[in-house]
Amino acid sequence: TASFLQFTEEKLGQAEKTELDAHFENLMARADCTKNWTEKILRQTEVLLQPNLSARVEEFLYEKLDRKVPSRVTNGELLAQYMTEAANDFGPGTPYGKTLIKVGETQRRLGAAERDFIQSASINFLTPLRNFLEGDWRTICKERRTLQNCRLDLDACKARLKKAKAAEAKAACEGDAVPDFQETRPRNYVLSASASALWSDEVEKAEHELRLTQTEFDRQAEVTRLLLEGISSTHVNHLRCLHEFVESQTNYYAQCYQYMLDLQKQLGSSKGEIFSGTFVGNAESTSPPAAAASPPAGAAAALPAVPTIPVVPTIVGVPSAVAEGVLNPNEVKPPTSGTRKARVLYDYEAADSTELALLADEMITVYSLPGMDPDWLIGERGNQKGKVPVTYLELLS
């Protein structure tokens, strides 16, 4: 009751308040700042790792119920499952089916890497932040509330002592006055002397309570100060966790990058085989020879047509390099017109001797051949010549 009265009078400006020293106030401000930013970083990291709000709420409920969070399929793993099932329906031996299986396997590996990253980040980063908010910070708040109550009690004791001393002084002044024994009521002098003694006892009691309250306040202030100074250790611990989070994220993105590079190489090396195999199958069928047919629309749009190069007698009208799916650089001559410059976008490792290895950002000369797969061009770099994938190039005008 005395603490509540003291708090109310402080708010109304009717009572004095014991102020903590500047160092203590700075410690409390630093602790509040740490708590606020830790909360924000924790919540946003949770959003980064699990963008789905419903999934986050579900995981939160499982944690509060102290139950194991069920294993959740990542988006990459789900996409891999769909691609694999589609490949089985389309035919795993078809070009499209084979590619679906390759891409699906990479998506599965990406999904597994994402799962490992989420688990690592949760253990090494989120858990320490959450432990601070739910453990150390709650302890600090509890001790700060206790200190606040001790301060209110201390200030109430100070106010009580101040009032008792004022009353004692007033009673003493009244007792020092010379009594008039001719008065009808000379007992006023006796009452004044008695009141002075009572207030003297009240002052002694108030001083005793003040000493006890001051001791309790000092002890609680020291406990709270030690906890607040521990925020520095919290920063050191969170710094270590932050380094581990960055390392996990770096490993995750490095894995993803390597998986995609591997997939890109697989698709680049198999692209020519897929389309050249399709072309040979068509050439061996009863359809008209390729020379009699019009060139593919994609190839005509990419580069102007060039004169037909010599053919082999086995497939009339079809260049041997294209018909056999194997490029012989000695048989290929650049056309007099229709060549273009191209900038290489990515490194490319040649799958065989018919292809030209590429380095990112280098400039090469490219041109197409009649009947050639539109996704491939002939590339030249000095005396070197070979097939190059169009997707690795930026064609320049």
Side-chain angles (χ1 to χ4, degrees):
T1 303
S3 297
F4 178 75
L5 179 61
Q6 175 69 21
F7 180 78
T8 304
E9 291 179 348
E10 283 180 5
K11 292 300 182 182
L12 297 175
Q14 299 173 350
E16 297 180 359
K17 174 182 176 181
T18 299
E19 298 293 343
L20 299 168
D21 61 80
H23 175 65
F24 201 99
E25 293 288 351
N26 289 335
L27 288 177
M28 288 199 296
R30 188 167 185 245
D32 289 335
C33 183
T34 300
K35 178 259 182 184
N36 293 335
W37 283 115
T38 300
E39 242 177 6
K40 291 181 180 179
I41 292 173
L42 172 66
R43 299 294 173 246
Q44 192 56 37
T45 306
E46 289 176 336
V47 173
L48 173 69
L49 299 179
Q50 179 52 268
N52 189 309
L53 177 59
S54 299
R56 289 203 310 274
V57 172
E58 181 182 355
E59 292 173 0
F60 174 77
L61 293 176
Y62 272 100
E63 289 178 0
K64 290 303 178 183
L65 297 174
D66 198 19
R67 297 175 58 184
K68 183 179 179 181
V69 179
S71 178
R72 194 183 306 278
V73 177
T74 62
N75 292 328
E77 292 171 323
L78 187 59
L79 178 59
Q81 178 183 340
Y82 290 164
M83 286 185 169
T84 302
E85 293 175 356
N88 291 332
D89 281 346
F90 298 151
T94 62
Y96 185 33
K98 287 181 180 179
T99 305
L100 278 173
I101 291 175
K102 290 180 180 179
V103 176
E105 175 60 21
T106 299
Q107 295 301 325
R108 184 193 65 77
R109 297 170 72 185
L110 291 173
E114 180 185 2
R115 182 194 301 278
D116 292 342
F117 167 59
I118 293 175
Q119 182 179 10
S120 175
S122 178
I123 295 174
N124 298 326
F125 189 61
L126 290 185
T127 298
L129 298 187
R130 193 177 291 114
N131 288 344
F132 165 72
L133 293 173
E134 297 178 356
D136 294 349
W137 180 250
R138 288 186 179 180
T139 302
I140 290 175
C141 290
K142 177 182 176 182
E143 297 302 331
R144 284 174 65 174
R145 286 192 298 268
T146 302
L147 178 63
Q148 173 73 351
N149 292 334
C150 288
R151 186 195 62 76
L152 291 172
D153 290 341
L154 176 63
D155 289 342
C157 287
K158 288 180 179 179
R160 190 182 306 117
L161 177 60
K162 184 177 181 180
K163 291 178 181 179
K165 285 185 176 181
E168 181 188 28
K170 182 178 180 181
C173 290
E174 292 176 353
D176 290 341
V178 178
D180 184 2
F181 290 102
Q182 300 302 320
E183 290 183 359
T184 56
R185 294 180 181 180
R187 63 188 181 88
N188 286 342
Y189 175 78
V190 178
L191 290 175
S192 178
S194 176
S196 178
L198 288 174
W199 281 114
S200 179
D201 290 341
E202 184 66 21
V203 168
E204 288 183 3
K205 290 180 181 178
E207 288 177 341
H208 178 69
E209 289 182 3
L210 179 59
R211 286 192 296 270
L212 293 178
T213 308
Q214 183 70 55
T215 301
E216 181 63 22
F217 172 78
D218 292 340
R219 186 197 67 81
Q220 185 59 37
E222 181 65 16
V223 171
T224 308
R225 182 183 64 80
L226 292 174
L227 288 173
L228 293 174
E229 289 177 346
I231 291 294
S232 297
S233 299
T234 298
H235 284 194
V236 172
N237 182 43
H238 288 181
L239 174 61
R240 178 183 57 80
C241 296
L242 184 60
H243 277 282
E244 293 181 358
F245 172 71
V246 172
E247 184 177 352
S248 298
Q249 197 171 30
T250 302
N251 292 337
Y252 166 59
Y253 286 126
Q255 282 182 306
C256 293
Y257 177 70
Q258 188 59 51
Y259 292 157
M260 293 309 299
L261 276 184
D262 294 343
L263 176 63
Q264 195 176 45
K265 289 181 179 179
Q266 291 180 39
L267 297 183
S269 61
S270 62
K271 191 180 297 183
E273 297 175 4
I274 293 172
F275 285 96
S276 64
T278 305
F279 182 83
V280 171
N282 292 338
E284 293 176 352
S285 64
T286 57
S287 59
S294 59
L303 289 173
V306 297
T308 305
I309 61 176
V311 300
V312 293
T314 53
I315 304 180
V316 179
V318 180
S320 62
V322 180
E324 297 175 6
V326 178
L327 176 67
N328 185 350
N330 295 327
E331 296 183 5
V332 176
K333 295 182 180 180
T336 55
S337 62
T339 60
R340 294 174 68 176
K341 289 291 184 180
R343 185 176 70 87
V344 178
L345 299 176
Y346 320 102
D347 292 345
Y348 177 73
E349 184 178 349
D352 52 47
S353 59
T354 67
E355 298 180 2
L356 180 66
L358 303 175
L359 295 176
D361 294 327
E362 71 172 330
M363 300 293 294
I364 62 173
T365 301
V366 295
Y367 50 89
S368 63
L369 299 175
M372 187 175 179
D373 170 20
D375 290 324
W376 291 80
L377 295 171
I378 302 299
E380 288 189 2
R381 184 202 306 112
N383 295 328
Q384 296 178 323
K385 185 184 304 182
K387 294 189 301 181
V388 293
V390 175
T391 54
Y392 281 66
L393 305 174
E394 177 187 3
L395 298 177
L396 305 177
S397 58

